[in-house]
Amino acid sequence: MNMLSFLGETPTIALRNAQEECGEDAIVVSTKKISSAVDGNKDMYEVVVALEDEQQPLKHTKKLSTSASKSGSKSNQKMDVKFYDFKEEILKMQDAIMQVQKSLWDPKSQLYDLTIPPEFVDMYNLFEQNEFDQEMTYTIMKKTIKQLPIALKTNPKKVNDFFKLVLRRIIPIKQEVPLRKHQRKIIMMVGPTGVGKTTTIAKLAARYAYKLGQNYKVGIVTLDSFRVGAIEQLQAYTNIMRLPLEVVKKPEELVEALLRLKDCNYIFIDTAGSSQYDVDKIEMINEYQEKVHELPIEKVLVLPANVKHSDLIDIYTNYSRLNINYLTFTKLDETKSFGNLISFAHKTKKSIIYFSIGQNVPDDLIVSDSTFLINCFMNNSCIGR
């Protein structure tokens, strides 16, 4: 792009000179007064225009760097012409435009008339990076823009703390309450294949049997006789921890297995995983439940954190026929986006009870805590939290 300078005794004359030479394609960059009649000289104005490189070279104009000589030929006047770094100015304009673009609400599937204030842009981008639900992002941003006091908006830390408070209010959490001495709880883990149900059960069994200092009696039942190596995997865990394991292959056998574990405070039931679209296999779990319908069984849906929001919804929709009580998220160490977890839990109104952050038994298990999840959200990682 060429920068060309045109002079005239008035801005209009200078602009007309530019138009005569360059035509309508020229872009006016600046207009300024470069000399004054007060100083004994004539009034003189300079118009600087930008012209694309591919335009034809102009016969009667000079590049900006030599424009001062054009007016001095008649009167031998010395003019103090200031030249600017237009490249720097253009870069500043580009930065300003990008900042405006970041602040515009431009969701993929919905249209909202919302402009994000500059002080909220970083937080808005964080919601986008975490694949937070668009509708919820809009609602949170709109409420925060209205509710956050003006005095706090200029303080980045205060803005950050306010958003943490908002997130804490919308994350449903189930607090862990250890059993009393003679209480008993039966927990059934359900979910798709490969989400980590068996490993999570091993972590929980170790936690309640050895890590809480209560010496709870823990038993494990597996209904998974379909997956190759499933029973052997649990057998290895229970042998190491010296815990009883019951293998149930038919619904009617579940009653007898639970009777044999009647002295246990905690009984964990491992189920066969299946695709969320395989309704028949999900219904088979219901057949086991019906055989022990008189016993209170907590159903915990185990979900992977590294899948998109729509997949979580599909899993929940089909597994909800089992009357899900709580959620446990696994594979938090395999993702950098945590907005889908928060959005999903809030929309389903199901409380989160545990997080699994790796394969190590029993260490990589965290009792649900909103602060932990929010820190993962803010840092795009749960590693080291």
Side-chain angles (χ1 to χ4, degrees):
M1 179 173 286
N2 294 320
M3 296 292 180
L4 304 174
S5 173
F6 296 87
L7 304 178
E9 294 182 5
T10 67
T12 303
I13 293 174
L15 181 60
R16 184 168 63 245
N17 291 338
Q19 290 176 334
E20 288 175 356
E21 291 287 347
C22 302
E24 297 297 330
D25 292 332
I27 301 172
V28 177
V29 176
S30 68
T31 302
K32 63 177 178 290
K33 191 173 186 178
I34 60 174
S35 69
S36 175
V38 177
D39 301 326
N41 300 319
K42 290 184 179 180
D43 284 340
M44 192 63 63
Y45 293 84
E46 179 189 44
V47 171
V48 178
V49 299
L51 198 64
E52 295 292 343
D53 291 334
E54 62 268 17
Q55 297 293 325
Q56 291 296 325
L58 304 175
K59 297 179 180 179
H60 305 296
T61 58
K62 297 181 179 181
K63 293 289 179 70
L64 184 59
S65 58
T66 60
S67 61
S69 63
K70 188 166 184 175
S71 61
S73 59
K74 284 188 177 181
S75 58
N76 295 322
Q77 298 165 346
K78 293 183 179 180
M79 294 181 293
D80 183 16
V81 181
K82 295 181 180 179
F83 299 99
Y84 296 90
D85 186 349
F86 289 101
K87 181 178 180 180
E88 181 180 350
E89 293 298 320
I90 292 173
L91 290 174
K92 288 181 179 178
M93 292 171 62
Q94 289 175 339
D95 289 340
I97 291 172
M98 289 182 65
Q99 188 72 9
V100 171
Q101 288 176 336
K102 288 180 180 179
S103 68
L104 293 178
W105 178 262
D106 185 24
K108 302 176 180 62
S109 59
Q110 305 189 41
L111 299 176
Y112 295 108
D113 54 344
L114 181 65
T115 300
I116 308 301
E119 58 268 21
F120 290 173
V121 168
D122 289 341
M123 190 58 63
Y124 168 70
N125 290 334
L126 194 60
F127 274 72
E128 288 285 285
Q129 293 165 13
N130 274 278
E131 300 178 11
F132 209 87
D133 179 75
Q134 288 278 338
E135 184 179 354
M136 287 182 64
T137 301
Y138 169 79
T139 302
I140 290 172
M141 287 290 169
K142 188 171 184 179
K143 287 184 177 179
T144 305
I145 290 170
K146 290 182 177 180
Q147 295 176 5
L148 187 65
I150 295 176
L152 300 181
K153 289 183 179 179
T154 56
N155 187 325
K157 185 179 184 306
K158 296 293 185 182
V159 171
N160 189 286
D161 290 343
F162 189 87
F163 275 101
K164 285 185 177 181
L165 178 62
V166 172
L167 290 173
R168 188 171 289 111
R169 288 176 177 173
I170 67 174
I171 300 174
I173 294 293
K174 172 68 168 64
Q175 300 296 330
E176 182 184 63
V177 181
L179 297 178
R180 292 190 294 273
K181 187 174 181 180
H182 300 293
Q183 284 184 305
R184 184 170 81 150
K185 179 179 285 189
I186 304 174
I187 302 171
M188 177 183 285
M189 312 296 279
V190 301
T193 304
V195 296
K197 295 186 296 298
T198 303
T199 305
T200 301
I201 285 177
K203 294 174 184 177
L204 288 170
R207 174 177 177 77
Y208 287 114
Y210 298 106
K211 298 191 71 175
L212 294 182
Q214 298 293 326
N215 294 322
Y216 289 117
K217 293 182 178 180
V218 177
I220 298 176
V221 177
T222 178
L223 312 182
D224 188 2
S225 58
F226 301 98
R227 183 166 57 92
V228 175
I231 296 174
E232 288 76 10
Q233 182 184 8
L234 264 180
Q235 188 72 63
Y237 286 133
T238 54
N239 286 343
I240 293 172
M241 293 185 281
R242 299 188 299 276
L243 301 177
L245 171 65
E246 295 287 338
V247 179
V248 174
K249 297 183 178 180
K250 297 178 182 178
E252 53 270 20
E253 295 177 1
L254 182 56
V255 177
E256 296 176 2
L258 294 176
L259 283 174
R260 286 191 290 270
L261 299 174
K262 65 181 185 300
D263 293 331
C264 292
N265 301 105
Y266 286 94
I267 300 175
F268 294 100
I269 302 177
D270 192 15
T271 60
S274 68
S275 165
Q276 61 267 32
Y277 306 111
D278 192 340
V279 177
D280 290 338
K281 284 190 177 179
I282 297 174
E283 281 296 338
M284 286 181 63
I285 300 175
N286 255 336
E287 294 180 19
Y288 284 92
Q289 285 193 103
E290 290 172 0
K291 295 297 181 181
V292 290
H293 65 274
E294 71 281 359
L295 294 176
I297 299 178
E298 286 185 359
K299 275 81 66 179
V300 178
L301 179 59
V302 183
L303 296 163
N306 59 349
V307 301
K308 58 183 183 290
H309 182 78
S310 59
D311 288 336
L312 292 176
I313 292 295
D314 284 346
I315 294 170
Y316 176 77
T317 299
N318 287 320
Y319 273 92
S320 60
R321 66 187 66 234
L322 301 178
N323 298 317
I324 301 300
N325 299 107
Y326 304 112
L327 306 175
T328 285
F329 285 105
T330 61
K331 303 181 186 295
L332 271 74
D333 56 317
E334 298 180 21
T335 183
K336 292 185 177 181
S337 300
F338 301 90
N340 56 337
L341 276 61
I342 299 173
S343 306
F344 173 79
H346 178 74
K347 284 195 169 187
T348 58
K349 305 301 180 187
K350 296 297 179 182
S351 298
I352 307 170
I353 189 167
Y354 296 105
F355 298 114
S356 176
I357 58 170
Q359 296 297 315
N360 292 330
V361 178
D363 297 327
D364 292 340
L365 182 77
I366 293 178
V367 177
S368 62
D369 176 41
S370 59
T371 299
F372 169 81
L373 186 55
I374 290 170
N375 287 338
C376 294
F377 178 89
M378 292 292 181
N379 295 282
N380 291 123
S381 173
C382 75
I383 305 300
R385 296 298 110 207

